[in-house]
Amino acid sequence: MKKRIALLGATGSIGSQALEIVGANPDLEVCALASRSRPLDELARARGVKHCQVGGDLTSLLDDSEPDVVLNAVVGFAGVGATLWALERGVTLALANKESLVAAGDLALAAWRRGGGLLLPVDSEHSAVFQCLEGRAAETVDSLVLTASGGPFRNRPLDELVSVGVDEALAHPTWSMGPKVTVDSATLANKGLELIEAHYLFGLRYERMEVVVHPSSVVHSLVRFRDGAALAHLGYPDMRVPISFALTYPDRQPTPVRQLDLAAGLTLEFEAPDPERFPLLPLAREAGVRGGTFPCAFNAANEVAVSAFLAGRIGFLDIASLVADALAKVDGMPARDVEELVEADASARRTTEGALAPV
Ligand SMILES: NC(=O)c1ccc[n+]([C@@H]2O[C@H](COP(=O)([O-])OP(=O)(O)OC[C@H]3O[C@@H](n4cnc5c(N)ncnc54)[C@H](OP(=O)(O)O)[C@@H]3O)[C@@H](O)[C@H]2O)c1
């Protein structure tokens, strides 16, 4: 029997790489496709996919298509419904949409406990940590280290960051990704979201998770153990590896990605991130530690601010200021249900939009 995959965010960067992985693997098939606005007819025809949806409620598509695996590669809070749908039903969730776990954190964990299914991270760092942790007893784990490329502005002085443009922010040195996550990588908000994501995925407190900048993106993350050993996951930066790992788990099928060539030389440099130039990283950590709907508010404010930056309405450093202002204004009360979560998200969005200059 083929594994039937609902591919949400099929037209995006992760979505198109997932289609390549599925197309090359006879044990996998796509049973549903979703996008926000780009048409899917051609893709659906070529792949023989019956269930397709452009925009709208993703959970009705999932009800209709009855997938074995939901690959949530939607960008932003829009992915929350699908994440909760899969977790609640115990349907395997391959999660690229980190924003949904960040925003819905506690509700998602409760749904995961009730559903009892697999939650397989697609983010390369979390896929790496998942693999380093597999089969290890929790008490043997000391801490996690998430690596960050540092983005295109790793060496830019603060005074120059004021005027960097959209094109420069979109020129990521090691990964080719959609625009929102690329800007998040430039501000290090992405690594902040990933810290919160790791907290929910692996159940570790924030003081046991560290972020280091590692410009070549070869070490995808590490786990330190209590005996002084650290296990790392290495490979060239290519999302097809963690996508394939999640879709073919636990089999680990071949991919077209080349093997590491160690004899040709590898640069394994690490440095501490700079909280002054990249304040969204400490802000995300703080939102995570405060808990409740602070992570949801962090995400919502960041989504609004990144859209405004991409539209040329604000400067690069304004993204962090807007998020900091929003976090100072929201109450962060825990959401008891999805309606309260949606309201917390909407409230942080209104606050951030209100702080933007009118167009
Ligand atoms: N790209 C990477 O290498 C990478 C790595 C790690 C994690 N991630 C995470 O993976 C997610 C996707 O990233 P990406 O880079 O693939 O983004 P992307 O290229 O911008 O693609 C986003 C996809 O989501 C769809 N979408 C957006 N809103 C939707 C909605 N309301 N309903 C249905 N579909 C919707 C888009 O459809 P339209 O095309 O119609 O707009 C598009 O297919 C993000 O959470 C990101 O943080 C990405």
Side-chain angles (χ1 to χ4, degrees):
M1 279 271 282
K2 290 189 177 203
K3 217 187 251 184
R4 302 174 70 254
I5 295 154
L7 179 47
L8 313 178
T11 47
S13 160
I14 294 288
S16 49
Q17 294 177 82
L19 284 167
E20 184 189 333
I21 294 295
V22 174
N25 191 324
D27 296 330
L28 305 176
E29 74 179 353
V30 177
C31 67
L33 293 163
S35 69
R36 172 177 42 200
S37 55
R38 282 188 267 184
L40 294 167
D41 310 336
E42 206 172 299
L43 207 50
R45 239 190 332 271
R47 305 257 168 176
V49 182
K50 222 169 65 196
H51 301 279
C52 267
Q53 190 172 295
V54 178
D57 176 11
L58 291 169
T59 62
S60 52
L61 177 75
L62 295 173
D63 283 335
D64 293 345
S65 56
E66 299 181 40
D68 300 313
V69 178
V70 175
L71 172 48
N72 190 350
V74 166
V75 63
F77 186 83
V80 165
T83 285
L84 294 177
W85 184 97
L87 292 175
E88 191 72 56
R89 284 159 185 76
V91 173
T92 298
L93 174 63
L95 185 68
N97 174 245
K98 66 196 86 184
E99 296 94 336
S100 58
L101 194 56
V102 168
D106 296 326
L107 293 179
L109 286 194
W112 189 15
R113 269 193 297 273
R114 287 191 296 270
L118 275 175
L119 171 44
L120 300 168
V122 170
D123 240 331
S124 61
E125 296 78 0
H126 304 72
S127 178
V129 170
F130 178 91
Q131 291 172 61
C132 293
L133 283 174
E134 236 187 338
R136 321 276 162 195
E139 66 273 16
T140 64
V141 174
D142 174 77
S143 52
L144 306 185
V145 184
L146 299 180
T147 52
S149 70
F153 304 136
R154 182 169 61 91
N155 293 320
R156 286 291 179 96
L158 187 59
D159 56 348
E160 285 183 22
L161 287 180
V162 177
S163 55
V164 292
V166 173
D167 288 354
E168 290 172 280
L170 289 178
H172 196 277
T174 49
W175 294 99
S176 164
M177 310 179 283
K180 192 262 179 182
V181 62
T182 306
V183 173
D184 284 349
S185 298
T187 61
L188 292 198
N190 184 49
K191 216 45 59 177
L193 293 169
E194 289 180 7
L195 259 184
I196 302 172
E197 180 186 13
H199 167 75
Y200 287 118
L201 281 172
F202 307 117
L204 281 184
R205 294 167 68 84
Y206 287 90
E207 61 267 25
R208 292 173 66 195
M209 296 190 289
E210 182 186 354
V211 171
V212 294
V213 173
H214 166 50
S216 61
S217 303
V218 166
V219 176
H220 298 134
S221 277
L222 306 89
V223 178
R224 296 195 190 103
F225 291 88
R226 65 182 174 189
D227 59 359
L231 294 185
H233 180 290
L234 277 71
Y236 292 120
D238 192 317
M239 286 307 293
R240 290 174 299 179
V241 177
I243 293 169
S244 175
F245 179 82
L247 295 184
T248 66
Y249 184 82
D251 289 342
R252 197 190 283 275
Q253 292 294 323
T255 74
V257 177
R258 70 195 164 109
Q259 298 293 342
L260 268 187
D261 185 354
L262 297 169
L266 273 185
T267 315
L268 296 185
E269 289 172 351
F270 301 92
E271 64 197 36
D274 177 353
E276 269 183 46
R277 288 183 303 136
F278 302 105
L280 283 162
L281 180 56
L283 272 172
R285 185 183 277 276
E286 190 189 322
V289 170
R290 292 172 86 182
T293 50
F294 282 108
C296 174
F298 174 91
N299 177 66
N302 183 57
E303 283 189 32
V304 172
V306 170
S307 295
F309 172 70
L310 286 170
R313 295 179 62 192
I314 60 171
F316 182 74
L317 292 179
D318 298 329
I319 302 174
S321 311
L322 284 163
V323 174
D325 285 353
L327 286 173
K329 285 183 182 137
V330 298
D331 64 25
M333 289 293 286
R336 287 167 297 185
D337 51 31
V338 178
E339 288 69 35
E340 288 188 3
L341 183 73
V342 168
E343 178 44 34
D345 171 79
S347 158
R349 278 170 204 272
R350 281 193 300 271
T351 304
T352 313
E353 269 151 15
L356 288 170
V359 256

